[in-house]
Amino acid sequence: MAEAHPPKTVTVTYEGKTFEMPVLSGTCGPDVVDISQFPKQCGLFTYDPGFVATASCESGITFIDGDEGILLYRGYSIDELAQHSDFMEVAYLLLNGELPSVQQKQEFVHNITIHTLLHDQMRTFFQGFRRDAHPMAIMVGVVGALSAFYHDSLDIHDPKQRELASYRMIAKMPTMAAMAYKYSIGQPFVYPRNNLDYSTNFLNMMFSTPCEDYVVNPIFAKAMDLIFILHADHEQNASTSTVRLAGSSQANPFACIAAGVAALWGPAHGGANEAVLNMLRDIGHKRNIPDAIKRAKNKNDPYRLMGFGHRVYKNYDPRARIMAQACHDVLNVLGKQGDHLLEIAMELEEIALQDPYFIERKLYPNVDFYSGIIFQALGIPTSMFTVIFALARTAGWVAHWKEMIADPMQKIGRPRQLYKGPEKRDYVPIHHRAQKHNKHVASF
Ligand code: ACO
């Protein structure tokens, strides 16, 4: 019989008293200190801006080892899934915990496919936006608006309704994403075609028009599917944590996913692939790379190498490696081996990875570094990059939302703060107030 080890604890001494906190172990990764009783025991809160040291929940969906550059979905490595699976299989895996059998996959694909159509009245909703609206702005609004159209899948306490909402979200994202694009270029919306697979259907809705026959290039569809797999989940990142936080208040699933879309939009998160392409275009020529590197290292310049660095990966992001390979494959097929931006990207990577600044800070290319170049090769406009990320990440968001709702330990998310504002003071009537500079409000 294995020797029983005493439970691990962390001991904290504060103002002469000693407190013990349990240490919890997961299946992989570092142990965590359970501080949930800390405020009750010793009257202190913990301080962790950006949650860099905080595990916010228990989860069995995705594991990242940032030092080793490992990413697992439900225990399966991203490399194997990228090589052998398709996005529908990966979405099933994320939602259900296991890879599907042939029959389970058929049923899942059927359940997604029958929900691809949007309520027809939603078409008028799109028309409320300006034509030059960013497609992410449209997505934030339209995804949230689903809650106004699908009342039979809003009850989060009913597992059947939760499942229906999950299918609807994954099924309708490509339809809404393609509509946001079509609207921005003034072309008619293209309805989903349920005889096409998930990725082919998306590209068909993006690029076909009613006036011409259009056949999606299967190599493009395969590359798109790979991009969906690589972006499907990434444990408790900013947008997933946002979905969980919104969901912890028992908000409906469509509202929670809309919150995730909003969080993903920023250039420090999902908007980075768009920023990478803009950066490569600005660099313009290999001879300008040293200047870009110099700027990125200058602390007085906000310029950063976009697509470099990651909160969790302190090694090469495994998705970036797969994406770089896919980038070469797609460009080879298109006969664009010497693509100008790809050449700049490759040389930029090579120079940065030899530079002590990037080595010391463990800054490596992340998934976004090469994805923009593939998107461009596939004819996807820059403004749609983050939308496609959101489309793929919906599988992960939904899996996390479902896991959270089913968790008996789940509570409303409510962080505390270290208050640095004024202490309690007496109210001053308006005519007795001196003109003061308001140091707490940013000027615009
Ligand atoms: N270029 C230059 N310097 C960088 C970069 C970069 N891309 N990223 C980090 N650094 C530097 C910081 O200036 C800092 O230096 P210092 O220690 O001398 O002050 C150090 O590296 C640590 O950086 P932090 O910002 O503290 O790291 P954090 O984990 O908070 O940020 C982030 C991670 C936001 C991804 C950051 O690396 C970044 O801004 N990268 C560029 C944007 C990007 O590619 N985002 C996509 C992320 S992946 C995704 O969302 C799918």
Side-chain angles (χ1 to χ4, degrees):
M1 229 168 82
E3 202 184 320
H5 294 286
K8 289 191 253 178
T9 54
V10 164
T11 306
V12 175
T13 305
Y14 177 63
E15 291 188 337
K17 286 192 193 143
T18 298
F19 307 93
E20 293 236 314
M21 286 168 296
V23 173
L24 311 177
S25 299
T27 40
C28 312
D31 290 345
V32 299
V33 188
D34 178 354
I35 54 157
S36 54
Q37 299 307 311
F38 201 51
K40 265 194 215 149
Q41 285 180 337
C42 57
L44 291 176
F45 290 107
T46 52
Y47 179 61
D48 181 20
F51 310 118
V52 289
T54 298
S56 61
C57 62
E58 206 178 287
S59 180
I61 300 175
T62 290
F63 173 72
I64 305 171
D65 184 331
D67 292 329
E68 295 296 323
I70 291 172
L71 168 62
L72 310 177
Y73 292 165
R74 301 284 192 182
Y76 294 103
S77 88
I78 191 68
D79 303 79
E80 285 193 281
L81 291 169
Q83 210 180 334
H84 304 299
S85 271
D86 62 23
F87 179 65
M88 279 293 93
E89 205 164 84
V90 167
Y92 181 97
L93 174 69
L94 290 170
L95 289 175
N96 298 294
E98 296 296 338
L99 285 166
S101 66
V102 172
Q103 195 194 334
Q104 284 169 327
K105 185 170 174 190
Q106 276 169 359
E107 279 169 18
F108 183 71
V109 169
H110 172 76
N111 285 332
I112 298 293
T113 309
I114 56 169
H115 288 294
T116 51
L117 205 57
L118 271 191
H119 190 294
D120 213 47
Q121 206 183 329
M122 286 196 79
R123 294 184 326 133
T124 53
F125 199 87
F126 280 83
Q127 259 116 42
F129 290 95
R130 279 172 56 139
R131 290 274 176 194
D132 61 357
H134 194 289
M136 279 300 272
I138 298 183
M139 291 301 281
V140 173
V142 176
V143 172
L146 291 174
S147 35
F149 286 88
Y150 298 100
H151 294 152
D152 59 344
S153 47
L154 297 183
D155 181 358
I156 63 158
H157 302 293
D158 177 350
K160 281 267 161 252
Q161 293 205 25
R162 296 208 294 266
E163 186 159 62
L164 184 56
S166 308
Y167 293 149
R168 282 184 168 145
M169 276 311 325
I170 295 171
K172 293 181 196 307
M173 271 316 243
T175 314
M176 292 182 287
M179 286 169 84
Y181 172 57
K182 286 295 196 193
Y183 183 72
S184 72
I185 56 170
Q187 286 187 3
F189 297 139
V190 175
Y191 284 108
R193 293 267 309 277
N194 287 351
N195 59 338
L196 300 177
D197 65 60
Y198 193 84
S199 309
T200 310
N201 175 47
F202 171 61
L203 289 175
N204 188 62
M205 289 189 291
M206 283 282 293
F207 296 121
S208 70
T209 59
C211 45
E212 281 174 12
D213 289 336
Y214 181 81
V215 179
V216 175
N217 183 334
I219 292 158
F220 286 15
K222 180 113 190 54
M224 186 49 71
D225 204 72
L226 178 72
I227 290 170
F228 290 161
I229 292 175
L230 297 182
H231 288 87
D233 195 39
H234 215 226
E235 54 121 300
Q236 313 308 324
N237 56 83
S239 57
T240 303
S241 298
T242 302
V243 170
R244 279 183 176 263
L245 199 55
S248 77
S249 75
Q250 306 190 354
N252 76 67
F254 305 111
C256 297
I257 303 298
V261 176
L264 188 75
W265 192 357
H269 191 8
N273 48 21
E274 183 172 339
V276 171
L277 211 57
N278 292 336
M279 172 189 76
L280 294 174
R281 285 185 188 131
D282 284 349
I283 293 174
H285 194 282
K286 286 197 227 173
R287 68 171 167 268
N288 300 326
I289 292 175
D291 281 345
I293 301 258
K294 205 166 146 195
R295 279 192 69 191
K297 296 192 307 189
N298 181 355
K299 289 285 143 216
N300 299 318
D301 189 333
Y303 185 86
R304 284 189 165 194
L305 279 196
M306 299 316 284
F308 254 77
H310 196 277
R311 172 60 61 79
V312 182
Y313 291 116
K314 302 303 167 196
N315 198 328
Y316 213 99
D317 178 340
R319 303 166 302 170
R321 218 184 286 282
I322 302 168
M323 198 68 91
Q325 185 55 50
C327 204
H328 284 286
D329 294 347
V330 168
L331 293 173
N332 272 345
V333 169
L334 293 173
K336 293 184 179 173
Q337 292 89 338
D339 180 81
H340 175 58
L341 293 184
L342 179 63
E343 293 212 326
I344 296 177
M346 282 166 40
E347 187 149 329
L348 183 63
E349 175 187 340
E350 200 180 320
I351 296 176
L353 292 183
Q354 288 169 7
D355 190 304
Y357 175 95
F358 292 89
I359 296 170
E360 280 157 22
R361 289 167 180 76
K362 299 187 177 168
L363 300 169
Y364 292 85
N366 59 48
V367 66
D368 292 319
F369 193 66
Y370 286 103
S371 60
I373 300 174
I374 304 195
F375 282 142
Q376 185 179 253
L378 299 181
I380 308 277
T382 317
S383 61
M384 284 297 289
F385 292 1
T386 318
V387 175
I388 290 173
F389 189 163
L391 188 171
R393 185 53 61 83
T394 298
W397 289 334
V398 169
H400 281 272
W401 174 78
K402 280 183 76 187
E403 180 180 61
M404 183 198 61
I405 299 289
D407 180 356
M409 302 294 286
Q410 187 265 325
K411 295 174 180 218
I412 186 165
R414 177 54 170 96
R416 303 302 295 253
Q417 62 175 4
L418 175 63
Y419 178 69
K420 292 274 193 160
E423 290 179 35
K424 185 174 185 312
R425 50 184 168 165
D426 292 333
Y427 180 82
V428 182
I430 191 162
H431 297 299
H432 295 110
R433 291 174 211 162
Q435 185 80 27
K436 283 188 207 157
H437 175 62
N438 193 343
K439 65 180 176 185
H440 298 294
V441 179
S443 53
F444 291 96

